[in-house]
Amino acid sequence: MALNARLDHRNPLVFDTHELGRRPGALQRLTRTVDAPKDLGIKGVIGVPEGAPVELELRLESVMEGVLVTGTARAAAEGECVRCLEPLKQELEAEFQEMFSYPDADDRGRVIAEPGDDAEDDEDRLFLEDGLFDLEPVLRDAVVLALPMQPVCREDCPGLCAECGVRLADDPDHHHDAVDIRWAALQGLAGTMKDGEKDEMSGAEAEAGVDEKQEK
């Protein structure tokens, strides 16, 4: 990617590498708690709420071509169960590693005349700017990879009833009696008949039976 544009050292996700002094092998360990930026996660599915605390543990290592950043981010993500649609919370731990290159060095650490001469090589690279780097794009990618695409409130969540939408976890014995569609019309007819009509039909059937016997 292109060089970072005017990084602000006051941004909590911008880090200063000047202490490393471009000495290959120099190490620096940092811990920082920052507020989660907007839309940190999988939009509409699960993510870390804006402003929620994100704990960062970083290891900065100076190498020939730049600064290698290795770290872990921890936070609490919130979303919705894809089975029962209930709100859920999930502890998030995302690990990442990224190289931030010196703008005046190529991938072998050799000085180049002008950064960005080869657009294809620069497309996926992140650069230091005045000794600063922005961790936000790296953090976003790591969080997305660490979160589930289909979050569930529990592994054995039974979901919702397909017929009425009730949450099955709240009513384990919930069920609907299966009705054979071949008898559904007759059941509907029986339900609309009055008791008197049933009695009349029974009496008529009984008389028909007596007449049949007398004819024999």
Side-chain angles (χ1 to χ4, degrees):
M1 62 179 293
L3 292 176
N4 298 322
R6 298 181 181 178
L7 295 182
D8 185 353
H9 69 278
R10 295 170 296 182
N11 184 332
L13 286 172
V14 170
F15 292 81
D16 192 333
T17 67
H18 283 101
E19 288 189 17
L20 296 175
R22 295 189 69 161
R23 301 185 305 273
L27 295 175
Q28 184 180 8
R29 296 183 184 275
L30 300 172
T31 59
R32 184 180 295 182
T33 300
V34 301
D35 292 341
K38 185 178 180 180
D39 297 329
L40 182 60
I42 305 173
K43 191 173 183 179
V45 180
I46 187 171
V48 181
E50 183 178 2
V54 179
E55 298 178 2
L56 299 173
E57 293 183 5
L58 304 180
R59 179 179 183 269
L60 280 54
E61 180 180 2
S62 178
V63 295
M64 288 294 295
E65 60 268 31
V67 176
L68 180 65
V69 179
T70 305
T72 303
R74 297 182 179 88
E78 298 180 4
E80 185 178 83
C81 177
V82 297
R83 297 179 186 171
C84 67
L85 308 182
E86 287 293 307
L88 62 82
K89 291 186 178 181
Q90 177 178 321
E91 292 302 315
L92 165 72
E93 182 171 303
E95 298 182 349
F96 50 87
Q97 185 174 72
E98 187 66 48
M99 171 66 71
F100 289 86
S101 301
Y102 295 125
D104 57 351
D106 64 10
D107 58 359
R108 294 183 181 179
R110 299 177 301 190
V111 175
I112 56 179
E114 187 69 26
D117 286 345
D118 191 332
E120 293 184 0
D121 289 344
D122 291 344
E123 184 177 356
D124 297 324
R125 295 174 64 186
L126 297 174
F127 290 91
L128 294 167
E129 180 188 328
D130 296 329
L132 304 176
F133 69 86
D134 184 3
L135 190 66
E136 183 172 339
V138 177
L139 177 63
R140 288 187 178 278
D141 290 345
V143 167
V144 169
L145 291 175
L147 289 172
M149 293 296 295
Q150 294 187 320
V152 292
C153 58
R154 68 186 201 197
E155 290 300 325
D156 60 346
C157 174
L160 304 175
C161 174
E163 294 190 35
C164 66
V166 69
R167 187 169 181 261
L168 297 177
D170 297 333
D171 186 4
D173 297 326
H174 178 82
H175 70 281
H176 294 271
D177 294 330
V179 177
D180 191 324
I181 60 174
R182 294 172 297 180
W183 298 101
L186 293 178
Q187 287 187 344
L189 178 61
T192 59
M193 292 179 63
K194 298 179 180 179
D195 293 339
E197 293 176 335
K198 293 181 181 179
D199 293 340
E200 291 177 1
M201 181 175 290
S202 299
E205 291 175 350
E207 291 179 2
V210 172
D211 292 340
E212 184 178 349
K213 290 181 181 179
Q214 289 177 348
E215 290 177 357
K216 292 181 180 179

